[in-house]
Amino acid sequence: PYLPLDPRNEMDKLWCCGTDYKALREIFIIVRRALRNGGVFYMALSSLTPLSYGLAMARALGFYVKHITYRRSPIDTVYVIKFVLRNVAIN
């Protein structure tokens, strides 16, 4: 979910992370707990959600960006980002 909209139903939860980005943060936390140090995951983020916000959130939770690619669509740009978990203690 990468659109900054509040989901109205279960289907919306596939695309909408909420205006407070709560779902996006929860994804980073769940993935952080599931990965070992050095583990990798990929995420798609829309330009409709500030990319800088998603990257800052990831960094604050112990990830660094390894690679970014993107594709433009008529309504936005979708970024696919490779995140790697740094050597950090997990709470």
Side-chain angles (χ1 to χ4, degrees), residues 1-3 5-18 23:
Y2 55 76
L3 296 175
L5 304 169
D6 290 319
R8 294 172 290 163
N9 55 47
E10 288 300 309
M11 186 62 90
D12 276 0
K13 289 180 181 180
L14 299 173
W15 306 104
C16 304
C17 66

Side-chain angles (χ1 to χ4, degrees), residues 17-91:
C17 66
T19 54
D20 60 358
Y21 306 102
K22 181 180 177 184
L24 186 61
R25 181 172 172 74
E26 288 175 1
I27 289 169
F28 280 115
I29 291 169
I30 290 167
V31 170
R32 181 178 176 214
R33 288 183 182 143
L35 289 179
R36 294 181 178 153
N37 290 326
V40 172
F41 87 102
Y42 293 83
M43 179 180 277
L45 291 173
S46 168
S47 61
L48 299 175
T49 300
L51 184 61
S52 60
Y53 185 82
L55 296 178
M57 186 185 303
R59 288 184 185 111
L61 290 168
F63 293 96
Y64 69 91
V65 175
K66 187 71 174 172
H67 180 74
I68 299 177
T69 191
Y70 65 91
R71 291 280 189 253
R72 296 185 200 281
S73 79
I75 60 168
D76 69 348
T77 300
V78 176
Y79 299 92
V80 178
I81 305 165
K82 178 180 180 180
F83 292 99
V84 180
L85 183 61
R86 285 186 250 151
N87 254 344
V88 294
I90 299 176
N91 298 329

